[in-house]
Amino acid sequence: MDLEACTTAFLSARRQKWSQRTLTAYEKDLACLLDYLKTHGVTEPQEVTVKRLRGFLAGEMTRGVSKASVARRLSCYRSFFDYLEQHELVSANVARALALPKKDKTIPKYFYHEEVSTLLNHMDGDSFADVRDRALLEFIYATGVRVSECVALDVGDISLDEQLALVFGKGAKERYVIVGSAACDALRRYLQLRSRVAQTNALFVNARGGRLTDRSVRRILDKRIAQVPGLRKLSPHGLRHTFATHLLDGGADLRSVQELLGHASLSSTQIYTHTSRERLTRVYQDSHPRSERPRGE
């Protein structure tokens, strides 16, 4: 069985276990590797060596592929060669001999309090789009949900009386998130208009009544940011970062923020402590009369 046939068999075996998004990502990662191997005359799984695989990944980083992407690809290849080893198509998993590259630590981008308030308050129209967009962005900021979690919500998943929403997160894990009063008010107003166009159980719908997609949410946020003069661009995931940062700035403990975000590991949440320290440093330098940076600089 050559590498192409092995790839097809591997993905087919995982089709029932993985999401379509994961399958698509693995398919692309394996296609990149197979293209590289073909150019070097490698078509059989037992011909793949540690040196050849290392050369491919090093070349990817030279071309500007991020460490995070290379780490994701290597994880894919480890799973692939595990499968081949289990089916005795290779004698050893060559991908296990390579270490995952350390990811660069980046500070999440987020809005300051004044910026997010300006954005949300700018959407004060009475049209369906204005009311829906206000409710959508208020909800994401109030709950910190991922965009994929947000667009998957149905009307029955939310209780405005209890100010709670049941979210289905990564790995099919359920969690309750708290919906603030401002978001509840925006949602009540939106639901009155939604009933006139809805053709599905989806909570957030377009003007034709269909469920919003991840891409739709990005377009909505881009459009609304562009309508506010001087407002910095931010991705929908940046609203999730904003939610976490503002909670920590307000005194919330890291464990609570972890639970609200649906992070499996506390290490995923700890990145926001860097954001809070950055803010505190800026406040100190702007405010203390004997700080290194003059006030107003």
Side-chain angles (χ1 to χ4, degrees):
M1 188 184 295
D2 63 15
L3 281 167
E4 285 193 10
C6 289
T7 299
T8 301
F10 168 67
L11 294 173
S12 178
R14 297 295 184 268
R15 200 164 300 281
Q16 299 300 320
K17 299 180 180 180
W18 292 344
S19 68
Q20 185 56 50
R21 180 177 294 181
T22 300
L23 283 169
T24 300
Y26 272 47
E27 187 175 10
K28 290 180 179 179
D29 291 342
L30 287 167
C32 289
L33 177 61
L34 263 60
D35 286 344
Y36 169 83
L37 293 173
K38 278 183 185 178
T39 62
H40 290 80
V42 177
T43 59
E44 300 297 323
Q46 61 270 22
E47 296 174 345
V48 183
T49 63
V50 174
K51 182 178 179 181
R52 187 69 73 190
L53 185 57
R54 181 184 290 114
F56 166 69
L57 294 174
E60 292 295 277
M61 294 184 68
T62 301
R63 290 195 307 107
V65 177
S66 69
K67 289 182 180 179
S69 295
V70 170
R72 189 201 68 232
R73 289 186 182 183
L74 183 53
S75 294
C76 165
Y77 304 147
R78 285 179 173 182
S79 296
F80 176 57
F81 283 99
D82 272 344
Y83 172 84
L84 298 184
E85 188 177 11
Q86 290 165 9
H87 289 77
E88 299 182 349
L89 294 168
V90 296
S91 58
N93 185 336
V94 294
R96 293 284 175 190
L98 300 179
L100 291 169
K102 292 184 178 180
K103 297 180 182 179
D104 295 325
K105 290 185 178 180
T106 57
I107 303 299
K109 293 182 179 179
Y110 64 98
F111 276 146
Y112 301 135
H113 290 82
E114 319 83 64
E115 291 176 310
V116 72
S117 295
T118 300
L119 172 66
L120 295 173
N121 293 333
H122 198 269
M123 293 176 283
D124 56 358
D126 296 321
S127 69
F128 174 78
D130 286 334
V131 174
R132 180 207 56 202
D133 294 357
R134 174 73 180 261
L136 172 68
L137 300 184
E138 285 272 15
F139 180 80
I140 295 175
Y141 173 56
T143 60
V145 296
R146 301 176 180 92
V147 176
S148 58
E149 296 170 342
C150 180
V151 298
L153 284 171
D154 290 335
V155 173
D157 296 327
I158 188 166
S159 172
L160 296 181
D161 291 337
E162 296 180 282
Q163 293 188 278
L164 292 174
L166 179 61
V167 174
F168 299 88
K170 288 184 176 180
K173 293 180 180 178
E174 297 181 354
R175 75 180 188 280
Y176 281 99
V177 295
I178 301 169
V179 186
S181 56
C184 284
D185 291 342
L187 283 165
R188 287 190 182 93
R189 189 178 175 210
Y190 159 68
L191 288 172
Q192 292 177 348
L193 297 182
R194 176 197 169 279
S195 60
R196 304 175 191 173
V197 301
Q199 299 175 6
T200 173
N201 292 327
L203 176 60
F204 292 108
V205 299
N206 56 37
R208 298 181 299 280
R211 186 184 296 271
L212 289 183
T213 64
D214 294 29
R215 188 171 296 179
S216 302
V217 176
R218 177 176 290 276
R219 284 198 298 263
I220 288 169
L221 181 57
D222 286 346
K223 172 187 172 183
R224 294 301 178 178
I225 288 175
Q227 292 173 346
V228 182
L231 191 61
R232 295 178 294 125
K233 288 198 69 174
L234 194 73
S235 69
H237 204 70
L239 288 180
R240 178 171 161 87
H241 294 323
T242 302
F243 162 83
T245 301
H246 291 181
L247 280 180
L248 289 170
D249 285 350
D253 64 274
L254 205 59
R255 288 284 182 185
S256 297
V257 176
Q258 175 194 0
E259 188 171 343
L260 289 170
L261 288 172
H263 283 161
S265 169
L266 190 63
S267 61
S268 300
T269 316
Q270 286 174 331
I271 189 170
Y272 297 108
T273 61
H274 297 290
T275 305
S276 294
R277 285 200 295 271
E278 288 279 321
R279 186 194 67 83
L280 288 173
T281 301
R282 188 182 67 255
V283 169
Y284 174 83
Q285 290 176 335
D286 286 343
S287 306
H288 197 282
R290 296 181 71 83
S291 66
E292 292 183 3
R293 188 172 69 188
R295 296 179 68 177
E297 183 177 73

